[in-house]
Amino acid sequence: MTVGHAPPELLPDISPISDVEEILPASRTTSRSGARRPAVPRWLRRTVGPLLLLVTWQVLSSTGVLPPDVLASPGTIARAGGELIADGTLPNAMGVSLQRVAVGLLLGGTIGVSLALVSGLSRLGEDLVDATVQMLRTVPWVGLIPLFIIWLGIGEAPKVALIALGVAFHLYLNVYAGIRGVDAQLVEAGQSLGLGRWGLIRHVVLPGALPGAMTGLRYSLATAWLALVFGESINADAGIGFLMNQAREFFRTDVIVVCLVVYAFLGLLADAVVRTLERLLLQWRPTFTGQ
């Protein structure tokens, strides 16, 4: 027996690896048997939960477990929504509510972003603005409805002002945090390239604060729809909130749910628009999309 060599009968049976798949983990779409499983589209997976909820809801309503005076069935709600669309009531209400949100968002966004720029770009501006805004934002803005009615009456002005107030605070906080969160090394790099103050603001600070601004815009839209619900309870004679108040008086749970679905749909649509803007404006920023 030669030193350093084991007898052939003691050597393990090692077969050469002929395929890379034997040492790599199986992919998500490949089963152990080697057959490729069809990938389920993501949009289909995302609809499973809502569909199960609707089916359960309809079954509970059909069996009488869920009485119609407590909550109407999905079929009844769908018929009520079709009637409201057919006679033009729902489209007109949506138009009025969208106009209120648009005006409030524009007004509140202008105020919030302007104050954030003054406070974020200047220490003097921060000393003059930030403390006041931080103090006012702790006040429940819904509790200001009585004052808005006294100051602005019961027309469109208090509704728009309530939306603008909620939007302004969210945009201010996120834009201000975005400006102050810009990497100092980027500012130093811009200075070394010869950029002046306005050049730094335009090419370094504002692009760096854009992700925070987009986040603030998404929060602001959610707050705008919430403020609209409260605002349209102030002696409204049109809008989705007006339909809800009428339905409440006649115990029409189907119409109330239709209005809630419309609120949710409009909010989801607005969020999708902001997501599209994020993809267009923030293409330079790598993000984690999940595994």
Side-chain angles (χ1 to χ4, degrees), residues 54 57-58 61 72-82 254:
L54 285 177
W57 183 0
Q58 182 64 47
S61 299
S73 66
T76 304
I77 293 170
R79 288 192 295 271
D254 52 350

Side-chain angles (χ1 to χ4, degrees), residues 51-138:
L51 287 177
L52 287 176
L53 178 62
L54 285 177
V55 170
T56 305
W57 183 0
Q58 182 64 47
V59 170
L60 293 177
S61 299
S62 300
T63 56
V65 177
L66 192 61
D69 56 344
V70 175
L71 185 62
S73 66
T76 304
I77 293 170
R79 288 192 295 271
E83 294 173 358
L84 291 174
I85 294 174
D87 61 13
T89 302
L90 189 58
N92 292 335
M94 290 175 60
V96 173
S97 296
L98 282 173
Q99 183 178 0
R100 289 167 179 161
V101 170
V103 175
L105 186 65
L106 180 61
L107 181 60
T110 302
I111 296 173
V113 172
S114 299
L115 291 177
L117 292 175
V118 171
S119 182
L121 298 175
S122 169
R123 290 187 179 275
L124 177 61
E126 180 182 12
D127 295 337
L128 295 176
V129 173
D130 187 65
T132 303
V133 175
Q134 296 293 344
M135 176 184 66
L136 291 177
R137 78 178 184 87
T138 60

Side-chain angles (χ1 to χ4, degrees), residues 155-168:
E156 291 295 309
K159 304 175 181 61
V160 173
L162 191 66
I163 297 171
L165 186 64
V167 167

Side-chain angles (χ1 to χ4, degrees), residues 136-171:
L136 291 177
R137 78 178 184 87
T138 60
V139 178
W141 46 270
V142 178
L144 297 176
I145 293 178
L147 283 178
F148 284 165
I149 294 177
I150 295 174
W151 294 340
L152 304 174
I154 56 175
E156 291 295 309
K159 304 175 181 61
V160 173
L162 191 66
I163 297 171
L165 186 64
V167 167
F169 286 135
H170 278 301
L171 274 176

